[in-house]
Amino acid sequence: MRDAIVTQVDRASYLMTDEATVYTKTGNEFAGHGTVNHSAEEYVRAYFWHTNTIEGYFSILKRGITGVYHHVSPQHLHRYLAEFDFRYNERIALGVNDAEPRRQSIARCRGQAAHLSTA
């Protein structure tokens, strides 16, 4: 787990995990590390430490991989994560309408195409 975490997560991040011991040492390598004890039915600690956000993100990521891609190569993991970061951050629950993420994606593609044609 450590290798995957330290290669994909900015060291300035605060890790919020459950009580699994696999995160204990790795958490010391980041700006902060807080845990919640799910086995004791603790889901939020001090109004800040929780795993709700990441559990929501993982549900979208898992459905996308299972339903669309079926396989994710470690070499391109950062690309899959970037796509799902975009999907998670541009969702209706945050006030973004359905058409806006598509519009942004198309605009970015056009920018890339223009950039590539001048290279």
Side-chain angles (χ1 to χ4, degrees):
M1 288 290 296
R2 182 201 170 274
D3 290 344
I5 294 170
V6 298
T7 58
Q8 300 296 325
V9 179
D10 186 328
R11 298 290 179 106
S13 299
Y14 281 75
L15 296 184
M16 297 182 200
T17 67
D18 60 18
E19 72 277 11
T21 57
V22 68
Y23 303 116
T24 305
K25 286 184 181 178
T26 304
N28 293 331
E29 299 179 45
F30 291 86
H33 178 217
T35 62
V36 291
N37 189 346
H38 285 161
S39 61
E41 296 187 20
E42 177 185 52
Y43 301 99
V44 177
R45 181 178 294 168
Y47 300 101
F48 180 72
W49 301 108
H50 61 82
T51 57
N52 296 344
T53 306
I54 194 64
E55 288 170 2
Y57 176 85
F58 279 151
S59 74
I60 292 171
L61 176 65
K62 285 189 266 186
R63 277 183 268 143
I65 291 172
T66 302
V68 177
Y69 298 111
H70 309 293
H71 173 76
V72 174
S73 74
Q75 177 185 5
H76 298 290
L77 177 61
H78 65 287
R79 291 183 171 99
Y80 292 101
L81 294 176
E83 176 184 344
F84 285 96
D85 287 351
F86 177 78
R87 288 183 187 201
Y88 188 79
N89 291 323
E90 301 296 328
R91 65 193 190 283
I92 291 174
L94 296 177
V96 178
N97 67 40
D98 281 341
E100 186 61 20
R102 286 185 206 93
R103 188 197 64 73
Q104 289 181 22
S105 293
I106 291 167
R108 288 180 181 147
C109 291
R110 286 183 182 145
Q112 285 290 346
H115 173 69
L116 293 174
S117 65
T118 61

